[in-house]
Amino acid sequence: MQTAAWAETFRIGSDELRGRLVAQTIGTFSARILPEGREEVVSLLADFILWLFGVDDGHCEEGELGHRPGDLAGELHRLLRVAQNPEAPVLLDDPLAAGLRDLRLRVDRYGTAGQAARWVDALREYFFSVVWEASHRRDGTVPDLNDYTLMRLYDGATSVVLPMLEMGYGFELQPHERDATAVRAATEMASFIITWDNDILSHHKESRATGYYLNALRVLEEHDGLSPEKALETAISQRDRVMTLYMRLTGHLSEHGSPQLRQYLRSLGHFIRGAQDWGITSVRYTTPEDPADIPSFFRDTPVDAGHEPLGIPVVSWWWDLLPRSSRAGGAAGAAPQPA
Ligand code: 3E9
Ligand code: MG
Ligand code: MG
Ligand code: MG
Ligand code: MG
């Protein structure tokens, strides 16, 4: 409800898009990501996610700019200027810019200067990836699995949420932990799992819409010649294989990390589970007017618990951080390599 009022105040998106977004229980999603987080940050995150859909749906997937990567890059640069310097007289009549100014003020209120800077940098990497996606949309092409994976680590807007995981509990992860190779790997794995889950659960919404769409199932169908059923099976198996590695790695990191790192890793887990729960319940994906065939519960065991890398070169290094045979919790000598 608060997020609906915020969207109305700033008039985020067209009236039609805003009308859809405010019915999609984005506030519930935010609360699931930060179940014991500071209420003001839960509210900030909800408004920010709605704002992101204003960009991702409004500009990229349903708007004109989504087919014009150069012009999209220009507009996103202007928005970045607003995020970085909200006082700058840029995009003065633009609702997304006005909403972003408000978000930036609240990021300053609940985060440190370092967290605000990370947030702006994360917006930049998200924006960069949607420009790449827009070039495929313009050309009607589908990237291969390796490129798609690299793009998807950023274009699912997962990394822009990360500073708010810290702000929600009022701590700042120290760079030597946050940027340690194994912690960064765990973070990337969470992005992979969240976006693969999204690709699986949003496939109905995306594939029935008119026009171009891009998700992992489509990549597997086009490049590997898989049937829709086999593509779904493969995506689930990839997701579970990364989840298996993620559990082993985060189990190890939690044992050896600071209390702040342990809280951060718990939040990554909440982010993953919150996205799943939201993905099977929000009308954004269930589309009641043309119901999606979406499950109402999850298995508690992986369909594929293999310890071998997925064969996607950009992420194969994830499997080098723990000995192949180590169990969750790891034996002595299983320490991830420091950065
Ligand atoms: C997600 O990909 C696009 C982002 C802008 C969604 C905003 C959500 C978050 C920041 C949290 C991450 C959660 C996810 C990925 C559900 P896509 O495929 O365009 O999303 P869609 O909802 O259209 O399937
Ligand atoms: Mg998108
Ligand atoms: Mg989308
Ligand atoms: Mg999707
Ligand atoms: Mg999409």
Side-chain angles (χ1 to χ4, degrees), residues 52 126 129-130 151-160 194-195 271:
L52 284 165
Y126 162 67
S129 70
V130 295
M151 185 190 299
R152 197 68 175 129
L153 289 177
Y154 306 103
D155 80 4
T158 45
S159 66
V160 294
I194 291 166
T195 52
F271 192 6

Side-chain angles (χ1 to χ4, degrees), residues 152 198-199 202 205-206 285:
R152 197 68 175 129
N198 173 272
D199 285 357
S202 67
K205 163 182 93 74
E206 289 167 356
Y285 306 108

Side-chain angles (χ1 to χ4, degrees), residues 32 38-39 47 59 66 96 103 108 129 136 156 204 208 213 219 226 230 236 243 279 296 327:
R32 286 182 189 277
R38 180 171 184 172
E39 210 177 304
D47 297 348
H59 278 331
L96 283 171
L103 294 170
D108 283 340
S129 70
H136 282 289
H204 173 80
R208 80 196 182 109
Y213 76 98
V219 169
L226 302 185
K230 193 69 192 159
I236 292 172
M243 188 72 188
S296 54
R327 309 285 177 273

Side-chain angles (χ1 to χ4, degrees), residues 24-326:
Q24 293 174 352
T25 59
I26 289 171
T28 308
F29 180 30
S30 174
R32 286 182 189 277
I33 296 172
L34 294 170
E36 294 170 289
R38 180 171 184 172
E39 210 177 304
E40 293 90 338
V41 179
V42 174
S43 175
L44 165 60
L45 176 57
D47 297 348
F48 179 44
I49 291 174
L50 185 136
W51 182 90
L52 284 165
F53 282 125
V55 173
D56 211 70
D57 294 347
H59 278 331
C60 301
E61 294 181 11
E62 301 170 12
E64 297 277 299
L65 287 177
H67 297 266
R68 301 205 310 265
D71 293 333
L72 178 63
E75 186 65 8
L76 297 177
H77 268 279
R78 287 174 210 114
L79 285 172
L80 267 182
R81 199 62 188 161
V82 169
Q84 196 142 40
N85 295 92
E87 71 284 6
V90 177
L91 294 177
L92 289 175
D93 294 323
D94 182 73
L96 283 171
L100 186 58
R101 282 194 177 86
D102 178 69
L103 294 170
R104 168 65 203 227
L105 288 177
R106 292 154 72 194
V107 165
D108 283 340
R109 193 173 311 147
Y110 303 114
T112 66
Q115 285 165 336
R118 305 266 316 181
W119 179 70
V120 173
D121 284 347
L123 273 173
R124 185 177 290 108
E125 71 189 12
Y126 162 67
F127 287 168
F128 196 28
S129 70
V130 295
V131 169
W132 188 11
E133 183 189 44
S135 77
H136 282 289
R137 188 179 294 108
R138 176 195 59 197
D139 298 340
T141 49
V142 174
D144 66 20
L145 183 61
N146 197 43
D147 271 356
Y148 179 72
T149 301
L150 185 56
M151 185 190 299
R152 197 68 175 129
L153 289 177
Y154 306 103
D155 80 4
T158 45
S159 66
V160 294
V161 168
L162 302 173
M164 294 187 187
L165 302 184
E166 299 177 27
M167 290 158 48
Y169 295 95
F171 69 92
E172 184 163 32
L173 210 49
Q174 294 307 300
H176 72 87
E177 281 198 313
R178 192 202 283 125
D179 299 325
T181 303
V183 175
R184 197 162 68 76
T187 302
E188 289 192 8
M189 288 177 211
S191 290
F192 182 99
I193 296 162
I194 291 166
T195 52
W196 249 243
D197 282 341
N198 173 272
D199 285 357
I200 291 162
L201 296 171
S202 67
H203 183 262
H204 173 80
K205 163 182 93 74
E206 289 167 356
S207 60
R208 80 196 182 109
T210 54
Y212 179 87
Y213 76 98
L214 180 58
N215 66 33
L217 304 189
R218 180 154 191 210
V219 169
L220 292 166
E221 288 171 33
E222 299 246 345
H223 285 277
D224 298 347
L226 302 185
S227 65
E229 297 72 29
K230 193 69 192 159
L232 176 61
E233 209 178 286
T234 303
I236 292 172
S237 155
Q238 291 171 331
R239 180 264 183 226
D240 278 2
R241 196 109 68 87
V242 174
M243 188 72 188
T244 300
L245 180 63
Y246 172 87
M247 297 292 286
R248 293 165 64 218
L249 182 62
T250 55
H252 187 91
L253 289 170
S254 294
E255 254 181 62
H256 299 272
S258 67
Q260 290 78 15
L261 181 64
R262 288 202 292 275
Q263 176 57 54
Y264 172 76
L265 295 172
R266 272 197 298 278
S267 288
L268 281 184
H270 293 153
F271 192 6
I272 292 171
R273 180 57 199 252
Q276 286 186 288
D277 286 331
W278 184 64
I280 63 169
T281 52
S282 175
V283 294
R284 181 173 175 86
Y285 306 108
T286 61
T287 61
E289 70 288 357
D290 171 16
D293 185 16
I294 284 180
S296 54
F297 62 94
F298 302 103
R299 308 166 45 107
D300 53 16
T301 53
V303 296
D304 180 349
H307 283 195
E308 293 306 307
L310 282 183
I312 303 175
V314 292
V315 296
S316 56
W317 63 276
W318 290 347
W319 278 266
D320 299 333
L321 300 167
L322 287 170
R324 290 282 145 84
S325 57
S326 98

